[in-house]
Amino acid sequence: MARFDATSSKTGRGTVAVTSATEQGRLAGPLSMSVANLCHRLQAQVSPRTAAGFAEVLRRLGGPLQVAVAGRIKSGKSTLVNALIGRRVAPTDVGECTRLVTRFQYGTVDRVEIVFNDGRKQVLPFAADGMIPAELGIDIEKVSHIEAYLTNAVLQGMTVIDTPGLGSLDAASVSRTEQLLGAAKHRKPDDGEEDDSADSEGSDELDDTSRNAVAGAEAVLYVVTQGVRADDQQALAAFTAATASREAGPVNAIAVLNKADTIAPESVEGSGGDVWKAATLLSEKQAATLKPRVADVLPVIGLIAESAESGGFTSGDAEALRQLSEMDDDILETMLISADIFTSWDCDVAAGTRLRLLEKLDLFGVRFAVETIRAEPEITAGSLRRKLLDASGLEAVRQRLSIVFAARADGIKAAAALASVTALAHASGDPGERQRVHDAIEVLLAKPEAHQLRLLEALTLVASGAVDMPEDLSEEVLRVGSNADIGAQLGKPGASRTDLAAHALERAGWWRSFASFGATPAQSRVAHVVHRAYFLIWQQIRD
């Protein structure tokens, strides 16, 4: 894990950090502002090391939402990262770089930095093709992660973290991923065992436990292919989607079924032989399997999305596809049976050109492009590229990212920051400091405007199984806590304001009664939060 830079972690610098973030309007919203003010007030009341942690929390609060792209090895994570960024910069072939965590964030100058375990940084030149080199030429066991700064508009609102494949045989890669993303949970010392977190009392640098507490993605885009396996569910359950070991849930995690074009439609009942229909149906089944760890599962073809969005698809490619569209139907159908036949068949389009088309579009994309050209003979290369992008499913993923992540960035970031603050106080080893932080957080959470944080906490408890609820009530908690639209929250999309208000008030009363009669103590705590959520919705509709 990279050493925290103590020069930027002093209490005074922390004050500058929160002021600067506020002045520049980078904080996601009022909840983040409340947590930032809490951190600022507490910095003078805690040890220098904990204050350093709070300064890092402040820095993260002022930055974009941090989204980790995770999944099994060879699931196409890096290809999807390139598509989301709109630039082919993350290496997709197996190499040293793909064994490291890479953070893509906005910068005024394009540059890549290798961050070593001891905190040193080394500038890395881009490869000739504009990508991060797959081979670094250094001992990667000494490397913590890679920081890539790009002048990219997408990254102004979202930092994208590309992770090594979970389930990889490379234990070191998995360990680096867990450290940087905060997956390593703090273990309380056994009786008679010293707590290492107290070894550097008075230090203004972060120990490993504290670094893990403030490190981490705040949301997860989880990539699966074909069927969901048991270890996918285990990875999502264990994978920390936020700081201080907050687990992935429907508020801060969605999944994509990548390589949707490789699904055999005959293997999915009801697909009618259509590949995309098959992918959609399979995604729905996977969503049910992964529920409640993710908000949704969406089909996507990352390779086509990357080629269409990052400039990989050229006018030369369009012309080659136009030539293919003029071939006899039977011959072209035979060529499209397999990649080997497609590249080895004797025809006017050079074999090397056909190989490049496969590398950019695969057989599904080639077939789709040819059919599009035949339907619209005058279509331009630019229009064909946009058609391919539409067919990739990337836009639906982006829209869902916006709904699930961007619209809730304030609550997600504030909840993650509070979890970090709590973990830092616990790591201090000072009971008095821990109590001061706990009391300050309770005061913040008691405010009406902070109720969303209570709701997110309740949702996380139910989604993770920490609080056992009847299935119908669990689904209601997930619905109320996972949606931004009032109609969706109440399960009554399209209903009139009068009906919505009546339903919200009725459910508020029901949950209040449940909290008082029949609920376990844990269920009661959740029920009180849901009751207040319904009551606030009722007030919002009425006002």
Side-chain angles (χ1 to χ4, degrees):
M1 194 67 180
R3 182 187 62 194
F4 182 79
D5 185 0
T7 62
S8 63
S9 64
K10 305 292 184 183
T11 302
R13 292 293 182 93
T15 302
V16 173
V18 66
T19 303
S20 175
T22 304
E23 288 175 350
Q24 296 179 29
R26 294 202 312 268
L27 289 173
L31 292 174
S32 295
M33 178 68 74
S34 296
V35 178
N37 289 335
L38 178 142
C39 289
H40 179 48
R41 289 195 307 273
L42 286 173
Q43 278 183 306
Q45 304 174 36
V46 296
S47 68
R49 188 188 60 200
T50 304
F54 287 173
E56 177 66 2
V57 172
L58 286 167
R59 185 190 68 79
R60 288 169 58 87
L61 270 172
L65 187 69
Q66 306 209 24
V67 180
V69 180
R72 293 186 54 78
I73 190 171
K74 295 183 179 179
S75 60
K77 298 181 309 301
S78 298
T79 298
L80 191 59
V81 165
N82 289 335
L84 288 170
I85 295 175
R87 174 172 167 181
R88 199 164 187 267
V89 63
T92 55
D93 294 330
V94 176
E96 289 177 340
C97 193
T98 57
R99 294 166 58 192
L100 297 170
V101 173
T102 303
R103 291 164 43 89
F104 295 92
Q105 54 192 305
Y106 180 79
T108 54
V109 177
D110 286 4
R111 71 182 190 280
V112 179
E113 292 179 351
I114 301 174
V115 182
F116 291 90
N117 295 322
D118 61 5
R120 291 182 300 113
K121 295 182 179 180
Q122 176 181 321
V123 176
L124 180 72
F126 285 99
D129 58 4
M131 301 177 71
I132 298 174
E135 303 298 327
L136 305 179
I138 56 178
D139 182 3
I140 66 169
E141 299 305 319
K142 298 179 179 179
V143 177
S144 166
H145 64 284
I146 294 175
E147 299 276 2
Y149 298 88
L150 303 172
T151 53
N152 182 288
V154 172
L155 297 177
Q156 288 184 303
M158 178 175 65
T159 293
V160 179
I161 305 173
D162 190 11
T163 68
L166 298 177
S168 167
L169 296 177
D170 184 353
S173 297
V174 175
S175 176
R176 281 189 292 266
T177 304
E178 290 177 341
Q179 281 190 320
L180 190 68
L181 299 181
K185 292 176 170 60
H186 175 62
R187 180 178 63 85
K188 292 182 180 180
D190 297 328
D191 292 339
E193 179 182 340
E194 293 186 3
D195 187 345
D196 292 338
S197 64
D199 288 347
S200 55
E201 181 64 35
S203 169
D204 61 358
E205 292 190 15
L206 295 185
D207 60 296
D208 287 343
T209 300
S210 300
R211 274 197 295 266
N212 285 339
V214 297
E218 294 154 339
V220 169
L221 177 62
Y222 196 77
V223 184
V224 296
T225 57
Q226 300 292 341
V228 173
R229 292 162 49 166
D231 49 2
D232 284 313
Q233 298 186 62
Q234 292 166 3
L236 263 175
F239 189 88
T240 302
T243 53
S245 301
R246 290 184 68 245
E247 294 179 333
V251 169
N252 59 359
I254 67 172
V256 295
L257 169 61
N258 196 17
K259 304 182 181 181
D261 55 315
T262 64
I263 294 168
E266 61 272 14
S267 66
V268 181
E269 185 178 353
S271 67
D274 181 82
V275 172
W276 193 258
K277 178 66 173 176
T280 302
L281 291 172
L282 185 56
S283 295
E284 292 171 356
K285 292 179 181 177
Q286 291 179 337
T289 301
L290 294 174
K291 184 181 178 181
R293 295 293 178 187
V294 299
D296 205 353
V297 179
L298 299 173
V300 68
I301 307 173
L303 180 63
I304 295 178
E306 179 194 54
S307 298
E309 188 70 343
S310 65
F313 184 76
T314 66
S315 57
D317 297 325
E319 181 56 35
L321 289 164
R322 194 177 302 278
Q323 287 181 263
L324 290 172
S325 72
E326 296 169 354
M327 295 179 63
D328 181 80
D329 286 355
D330 292 339
I331 292 177
L332 187 57
E333 280 299 319
T334 302
M335 290 175 64
L336 291 173
I337 289 175
S338 71
D340 287 342
I341 297 176
F342 183 74
T343 53
S344 63
W345 196 273
D346 185 18
C347 71
D348 292 339
V349 180
T353 300
R354 282 176 275 155
L355 179 60
R356 285 197 300 274
L357 288 176
L358 278 185
E359 291 172 345
K360 295 178 180 182
L361 305 176
D362 215 338
L363 289 173
F364 177 88
V366 171
R367 180 187 294 276
F368 174 85
V370 167
E371 291 175 351
T372 300
I373 293 172
R374 286 177 169 177
E376 303 178 50
E378 302 302 318
I379 192 170
T380 64
S383 294
L384 182 57
R385 182 194 67 80
R386 287 189 291 273
K387 294 273 190 180
L388 284 164
L389 185 60
D390 290 342
S392 73
L394 181 66
E395 186 55 35
V397 174
R398 281 181 167 159
Q399 289 178 359
R400 200 74 177 103
L401 282 171
S402 178
I403 293 171
V404 175
F405 295 163
R408 288 202 191 89
D410 186 29
I412 292 173
K413 290 185 71 67
L418 277 183
S420 286
V421 169
T422 301
L424 286 164
H426 177 81
S428 71
D430 181 344
E433 180 172 293
R434 190 181 310 165
Q435 190 62 48
R436 283 193 296 275
V437 172
H438 176 270
D439 292 346
I441 291 175
E442 287 301 308
V443 170
L444 184 151
L445 292 177
K447 298 178 180 179
E449 59 270 23
H451 182 74
Q452 184 185 352
L453 295 176
R454 289 283 195 197
L455 185 58
L456 290 176
E457 179 186 27
L459 176 65
T460 301
L461 290 172
V462 173
S464 65
V467 174
D468 186 28
M469 303 280 283
E471 185 176 353
D472 58 333
L473 298 186
S474 292
E475 290 180 356
E476 188 171 352
V477 175
L478 296 176
R479 188 184 69 237
V480 173
S482 301
N483 291 285
D485 177 74
I486 289 178
Q489 281 182 302
L490 299 179
K492 289 183 170 293
S496 68
R497 292 176 63 86
T498 301
D499 288 345
L500 291 174
H503 183 69
L505 193 59
E506 185 272 326
R507 294 311 295 164
W510 189 94
W511 279 93
R512 184 175 185 178
S513 297
F514 176 66
S516 303
F517 308 101
T520 67
Q523 290 173 342
S524 181
R525 287 193 294 272
V526 170
H528 279 299
V529 172
V530 179
H531 150 70
R532 181 151 180 78
Y534 273 122
F535 182 76
L536 291 174
I537 291 173
W538 174 75
Q539 280 190 324
Q540 183 180 348
I541 296 171
R542 195 183 63 168
D543 294 342

